[in-house]
Amino acid sequence: MEVRHYLQFKDFTCEEYEYLFARARWIKDVFKRYIPHQPLRDRTLAMVFEKHSTRTRVSFEAGMTQLGGSVITLMTRDTQMGRGEPIEDVARVITRMVDLVMIRTYEQSIIERFAQFSRVPVINGLTNEYHPCQILGDIFTCVEHRGGICGKTVAWIGDSNNVCNTWLQAAEVLDFNVHVSTPPGYEIEPGRAGLYGTDHYEVFADPMDAVKGADLITTDVWTSMGMEAEDAERRRDFEDWRVDGDMMRAARPDALFMHCLPAHRGEEVAAEVIDGPQSVVWDEAENRLHAQKALMEYLLVGRVKTQGDLWST
Ligand code: CP
Ligand code: NVA
């Protein structure tokens, strides 16, 4: 049987996401009630980090532990990968020993090469191009707060980075719209974003135009991991792309604010927004845990009956 991986948002269908959001809600509910749910007993997750992480590391490690499994965390610099062992050989070795792998690395091609030689499912924990687990948790948060995302408008303000690309893919899979506003020179690249078409996003030169009518405003750091050399230049170029109170007021009155975190108050987002009443960033961060537990369960044991009474499932 072919192994399923989660390397990009578009690896799953809309119908699979509907299952995962329902399952995440159930998993969150039992977690909040302190009811053990351990379908992954005796399963092992290996996590490979080539970049820094707080949320991804904690949510996957806590999530796998809560599901009854165990976790091995590898920082590439401490392993033979840091001394040049080919990624294909690493994939062949460690996937004989564990049941699931999560990787945070640089180019998407690295995780794709790993997956090609993997015996077990591989999850993208962030690459230069994509961050599917983030948007999985983000859209679960939209579902919780607003009942769904289909037909809604998301305004992306800032860099055309991995998180932006993943929102754009998600819009195609789940049928919503993205208004994108980036500074000149930082425009989205539809090919790199892995898009099928142009009918789920619209580009705006002025961020104030992008947020008009939006149900959700979201942004991310101006300088992603690996781009540190451009930091000073980016601070200048992105100065007018800070999400502030004026932008929030130009959106729908009930618009949500999201940020994948870590955030830089006073740079990409004003403190009044991220710490304000429309911000759901802490729910968003927490939901990485619940959504990824649903994802890991799905990849390792498949679909489980979710609907209905908590005690009968
Ligand atoms: N949002 C996110 O992925 O956070 P970390 O970099 O802390 O994992
Ligand atoms: N775009 C950011 C996301 C961090 C979670 C980065 O790649 O650094």
Side-chain angles (χ1 to χ4, degrees):
M1 207 176 77
E2 200 183 326
V3 178
R4 283 299 291 281
H5 303 297
Y6 191 56
L7 306 183
Q8 307 188 30
F9 197 89
K10 67 183 183 187
D11 286 348
F12 287 177
T13 64
C14 180
E15 192 268 331
E16 286 179 301
Y17 282 110
E18 278 169 10
Y19 166 77
L20 285 172
F21 297 138
R23 190 67 185 158
R25 190 197 303 262
W26 184 89
I27 284 173
K28 182 172 181 175
D29 191 23
V30 295
F31 174 73
K32 297 285 181 185
R33 294 170 191 235
Y34 298 101
I35 299 168
H37 173 60
Q38 303 201 319
L40 303 188
R41 274 189 300 276
D42 297 327
R43 304 294 189 106
T44 305
L45 165 70
M47 300 197 292
V48 179
F49 285 99
E50 205 163 358
K51 292 179 176 175
H52 293 270
S53 172
T54 299
R55 279 144 289 270
T56 302
R57 180 170 177 178
V58 174
S59 55
F60 269 104
E61 186 155 346
M64 189 58 167
T65 306
Q66 289 159 17
L67 291 172
S70 56
V71 183
I72 298 167
T73 302
L74 301 167
M75 313 309 281
T76 47
R77 65 177 174 275
D78 300 334
T79 70
Q80 298 290 6
M81 281 176 271
R83 300 179 66 248
E85 184 170 13
I87 197 77
E88 293 82 358
D89 292 359
V90 177
R92 281 186 272 226
V93 172
I94 70 175
T95 69
R96 285 174 178 239
M97 301 177 184
V98 303
D99 302 281
L100 185 62
V101 177
M102 187 235 76
I103 305 181
R104 168 168 286 197
T105 186
Y106 289 89
E107 290 79 27
Q108 181 72 10
S109 58
I110 297 173
I111 200 168
E112 282 170 3
R113 281 162 53 209
F114 188 102
Q116 201 184 335
F117 289 90
S118 174
R119 290 185 169 191
V120 304
V122 178
I123 297 172
N124 182 346
L126 181 145
T127 57
N128 291 348
E129 289 87 348
Y130 308 118
H131 196 1
C133 293
Q134 181 67 52
I135 306 308
L136 178 70
D138 290 5
I139 296 178
F140 175 52
T141 309
C142 293
V143 171
E144 278 192 330
H145 281 271
R146 294 289 180 262
I149 194 147
C150 182
K152 296 233 179 340
T153 298
V154 174
W156 175 270
I157 307 300
D159 191 18
S160 58
N161 63 14
N162 41 14
V163 179
C164 173
N165 286 342
T166 311
W167 271 112
L168 293 167
Q169 276 198 6
E172 291 192 334
V173 176
L174 301 179
D175 194 18
F176 61 92
N177 308 304
V178 185
H179 288 182
V180 188
S181 184
T182 63
Y186 298 90
E187 291 84 3
I188 59 165
E189 297 171 46
R192 183 172 161 88
L195 304 183
Y196 296 118
T198 56
D199 52 347
H200 285 84
Y201 72 90
E202 201 176 337
V203 173
F204 294 83
D206 185 341
M208 285 302 285
D209 291 334
V211 297
K212 279 182 195 144
D215 299 282
L216 164 65
I217 299 181
T218 186
T219 186
D220 187 12
V221 292
W222 290 341
T223 305
S224 286
M225 291 180 280
M227 319 281 285
E228 289 78 7
E230 299 177 15
D231 192 49
E233 190 183 348
R234 283 172 168 265
R235 280 169 194 259
R236 284 193 300 274
D237 294 346
F238 283 78
E239 184 57 30
D240 293 336
W241 275 263
R242 176 178 306 111
V243 178
D244 59 13
D246 288 342
M247 281 193 203
M248 291 306 297
R249 283 185 284 278
R252 286 174 59 95
D254 63 347
L256 300 174
F257 173 76
M258 284 195 186
H259 189 310
C260 64
L261 306 177
H264 299 79
R265 289 170 177 77
E267 291 187 26
E268 74 276 3
V269 60
E272 62 171 329
V273 172
I274 193 167
D275 299 319
Q278 289 164 274
S279 171
V280 292
V281 298
W282 312 122
D283 289 344
E284 183 188 358
E286 177 189 329
N287 280 336
R288 293 286 302 277
L289 171 72
H290 312 300
Q292 290 163 190
K293 284 168 76 176
L295 172 67
M296 289 191 285
E297 181 191 63
Y298 182 58
L299 288 172
L300 289 180
V301 302
R303 287 190 195 222
V304 183
K305 185 173 171 291
T306 293
Q307 308 298 346
D309 186 274
L310 183 64
W311 302 98
S312 67
T313 51

XYZ file of all heavy atoms in Angstrom, residues 51 104 126 131 161-163 220-221 223-225 260-262, ligand 2:
126
model
N 15.854 23.831 11.616
C 15.614 25.233 11.970
C 15.021 25.258 13.381
O 14.519 24.240 13.860
C 14.600 25.861 11.014
C 15.061 26.047 9.585
C 13.932 26.650 8.759
C 14.354 26.957 7.345
N 13.219 27.431 6.525
N 11.428 19.605 9.819
C 11.481 21.060 9.570
C 12.834 21.330 8.923
O 13.878 21.084 9.533
C 11.321 21.839 10.869
C 11.653 23.309 10.704
C 11.238 24.163 11.874
N 9.802 24.343 11.892
C 9.181 25.300 12.587
N 9.877 26.156 13.303
N 7.865 25.413 12.566
N 7.514 22.528 8.370
C 7.896 23.850 7.815
C 9.094 23.673 6.883
O 10.102 23.049 7.250
C 8.257 24.872 8.893
C 8.646 26.299 8.434
C 8.166 27.365 9.422
C 10.156 26.420 8.225
N 4.101 25.571 5.034
C 3.932 25.241 6.463
C 2.515 24.674 6.641
O 1.662 25.304 7.273
C 4.151 26.502 7.300
C 4.384 26.253 8.757
N 4.430 24.989 9.314
C 4.588 27.127 9.796
C 4.647 25.098 10.615
N 4.738 26.363 10.927
N 5.665 34.419 1.924
C 6.541 33.357 2.437
C 5.824 32.007 2.483
O 4.758 31.814 1.886
C 7.085 33.775 3.819
C 5.973 33.934 4.846
O 4.835 33.505 4.627
N 6.285 34.547 5.975
N 6.430 31.087 3.232
C 5.896 29.725 3.353
C 4.460 29.694 3.901
O 3.632 28.899 3.442
C 6.830 28.882 4.237
C 7.369 29.635 5.457
O 6.881 30.712 5.819
N 8.376 29.055 6.101
N 4.165 30.559 4.855
C 2.822 30.566 5.450
C 1.821 31.154 4.443
O 0.724 30.613 4.238
C 2.830 31.342 6.783
C 1.441 31.387 7.400
C 3.819 30.691 7.758
N 2.703 37.536 9.114
C 3.795 36.732 9.650
C 5.028 37.633 9.719
O 5.007 38.765 9.206
C 4.031 35.528 8.721
C 5.033 34.525 9.259
O 5.403 34.621 10.447
O 5.469 33.646 8.483
N 6.083 37.120 10.291
C 7.325 37.889 10.411
C 7.773 38.419 9.053
O 7.531 37.811 8.017
C 8.460 37.023 11.002
C 8.156 36.700 12.452
C 8.681 35.753 10.191
N 10.927 38.738 8.312
C 12.148 38.000 7.967
C 12.024 36.568 8.467
O 12.109 36.319 9.665
C 13.385 38.683 8.609
O 13.423 40.061 8.203
C 14.662 37.995 8.192
N 11.827 35.670 7.550
C 11.699 34.258 7.929
C 13.063 33.651 8.224
O 14.102 34.214 7.852
C 11.029 33.478 6.788
O 9.660 33.773 6.745
N 13.019 32.474 8.868
C 14.263 31.770 9.193
C 15.041 31.470 7.907
O 14.460 31.005 6.921
C 13.948 30.466 9.934
C 13.404 30.706 11.330
S 13.025 29.188 12.216
C 11.424 28.760 11.522
N 0.910 33.187 12.941
C 1.406 31.845 13.289
C 2.329 31.871 14.505
O 2.515 30.850 15.143
C 2.100 31.225 12.083
S 3.579 32.108 11.556
N 2.929 33.042 14.788
C 3.886 33.231 15.882
C 5.201 32.486 15.569
O 5.140 31.457 14.903
C 3.319 32.759 17.233
C 1.965 33.364 17.635
C 1.499 32.744 18.965
C 2.048 34.880 17.777
N 6.337 32.952 16.004
C 6.520 34.072 16.922
C 6.249 35.415 16.244
O 6.501 35.554 15.047
C 7.996 33.958 17.324
C 8.655 33.289 16.158
C 7.638 32.348 15.606
N 7.672 32.340 7.991
C 8.262 31.975 9.258
C 7.328 31.070 9.999
C 7.806 30.681 11.366
C 6.858 29.747 12.052
C 9.608 31.312 9.033
O 9.733 30.516 8.102
O 10.541 31.628 9.769
